[in-house]
Amino acid sequence: MTYAEQLSADQARIESSIAEYVDSLWPFGNLVESMSYSLLSGGKRIRPILTLASCRFCGGEVTKALSFACGLEMIHTYSLIHDDLPCMDDDDFRRGRPTNHRVYGQATAVLAGDALLTSAFEVLAKAPGLHTDQLVLAVRCLSEAAGPSGMVAGQILDMVATDRDSTFEQIQTIESLKTGKLIEAAVQLGCIAANVEGERMQALTIYAQKLGLAFQIQDDILDYDGDEAELGKPIGSDAANGKVTFVTLKGIVGCREMVRRLTEEAVEEIKQYEESGFLCWLAEMLAERKK
Ligand code: GRG
């Protein structure tokens, strides 16, 4: 199987597992419809793909990592729904479609996000085929990454960083929390599912830190000069909001260089391992992404 085929197969696994979970819910009002609208709307599934790939890299059975992967994607989806709300970024489009609150209204969008955040931990705690210790470790890993010392901390720092004098280090700190922590958790959840710690988990965590930063810089590049049709949302929102980004601090050429360097460093961290092929390929692919 080629790496591209493996990626498609894993994406299909994730889609059907998420769809199965949503189908199992009792459709109170339009809550489940609103959750499904954002959960099953063409996301790239990068984070759950990383979880499955890390589990494989550690010699684990990928089916054992599937619930962790889906729970993580639920957290990511909740964060996007809430981030798009009028009280936050006030965005009208995501993935080429109206944002959740534009379709279902703000109150339902808030509840859909809340429900996904809660469902994520339900799905983790019920992951089949794993020891209770692994389930507890996974819940701990994801709650630390998503909560007030992780993604939510990054979001509040981003909200208050209206200062046009923000430095590169300040922006890097915000992004490593807001975007980076879930990407780190993605690989760590794969290790936990495979019951592997130590050197491999450490190498994967550094790989994820580099990858996460490159991913965010690429996001800023795409907001500056991406293709709106391909991205599924208007570009230039950072500039319109007067946001300090990696592009305003380092310029487009500087940002492209940083993405290249960070990708090389990420690959360098894991390439000594025979099983690293897919993860190295994925890092290269993300550096070239257009959406
Ligand atoms: C509201 C608590 C709370 C947190 C929001 C992650 C986040 C924090 C906001 C998302 C805003 C944003 C555009 C961040 C930049 C990087 C990023 C996370 C992009 C979206 O992730 P992708 O590209 O999205 O993986 P898809 O659509 O593929 O799922």
Side-chain angles (χ1 to χ4, degrees):
M1 202 192 290
T2 64
Y3 294 142
E5 284 164 350
Q6 183 180 316
L7 179 67
S8 300
D10 281 349
Q11 275 165 339
R13 265 194 187 99
I14 293 156
E15 296 299 327
S16 65
S17 186
I18 289 178
E20 202 180 303
Y21 175 76
V22 172
D23 285 346
S24 77
L25 296 173
W26 185 256
F28 293 109
N30 56 6
L31 179 67
V32 176
E33 191 186 314
S34 165
M35 291 162 77
S36 303
Y37 178 81
S38 294
L39 260 182
L40 299 163
S41 64
K44 295 183 289 296
R45 311 300 195 201
I46 296 308
R47 296 157 193 77
I49 294 286
L50 281 167
T51 301
L52 300 189
S54 300
C55 178
R56 257 194 218 101
F57 171 83
C58 291
E61 281 173 54
V62 85
T63 49
K64 293 194 175 177
L66 195 52
S67 295
F68 291 176
C70 293
L72 173 59
E73 187 68 2
M74 288 175 189
I75 296 274
H76 168 61
T77 308
Y78 120 75
S79 80
L80 298 182
I81 296 173
H82 282 191
D83 188 62
D84 290 336
L85 287 168
C87 60
M88 297 222 183
D89 274 5
D90 195 9
D91 281 319
D92 291 335
F93 286 95
R94 181 170 290 279
R95 299 171 181 157
R97 303 203 301 173
T99 43
N100 195 296
H101 65 273
R102 299 277 300 174
V103 179
Y104 297 97
Q106 288 190 56
T108 301
V110 168
L111 290 176
D114 293 343
L116 286 168
L117 169 57
T118 319
S119 291
F121 291 103
E122 178 197 344
V123 167
L124 248 69
K126 287 181 179 167
L130 298 175
H131 194 275
T132 311
D133 289 353
Q134 288 169 285
L135 304 181
V136 173
L137 272 178
V139 168
R140 181 177 167 175
C141 171
L142 189 54
S143 54
E144 284 177 357
S149 307
M151 181 180 71
V152 177
Q155 182 74 351
I156 193 108
L157 288 177
D158 196 21
M159 276 165 49
V160 298
T162 46
D163 186 355
R164 283 174 185 269
D165 296 332
S166 296
T167 62
F168 180 80
E169 284 68 29
Q170 285 165 334
I171 300 296
Q172 191 172 340
T173 301
I174 292 171
E175 302 305 352
S176 69
L177 292 165
K178 197 177 95 171
T179 310
K181 285 291 173 188
L182 278 200
I183 294 181
E184 270 181 57
V187 299
Q188 290 168 347
L189 288 171
C191 297
I192 295 168
N195 218 1
V196 164
E197 286 178 37
E199 204 189 276
R200 268 181 197 247
M201 192 176 195
Q202 181 60 21
L204 276 178
T205 301
I206 298 171
Y207 161 88
Q209 285 165 350
K210 308 269 186 199
L211 191 80
L213 187 55
F215 188 83
Q216 182 58 53
I217 297 171
Q218 187 67 13
D219 213 70
D220 288 356
I221 294 174
L222 292 174
D223 190 66
Y224 178 81
D225 76 352
D227 180 273
E228 293 194 352
E230 204 159 355
L231 279 173
K233 60 178 184 181
I235 64 162
S237 62
D238 290 339
N241 296 329
K243 251 188 98 175
V244 179
T245 69
F246 288 113
V247 172
T248 49
L249 287 166
K250 296 286 174 185
I252 200 82
V253 174
C255 281
R256 290 211 172 96
E257 273 168 26
M258 282 196 293
V259 170
R260 177 90 330 261
R261 181 177 48 77
L262 286 161
T263 304
E264 277 167 21
E265 287 173 7
V267 165
E268 198 58 42
E269 206 52 50
I270 54 167
K271 74 168 193 218
Q272 76 213 40
Y273 299 99
E274 207 184 305
E275 307 81 359
S276 66
F278 177 80
L279 286 164
C280 294
W281 173 82
L282 189 68
E284 301 287 354
M285 211 198 63
L286 289 176
E288 302 296 326
R289 76 188 172 97
K290 300 278 179 258
K291 67 172 192 171

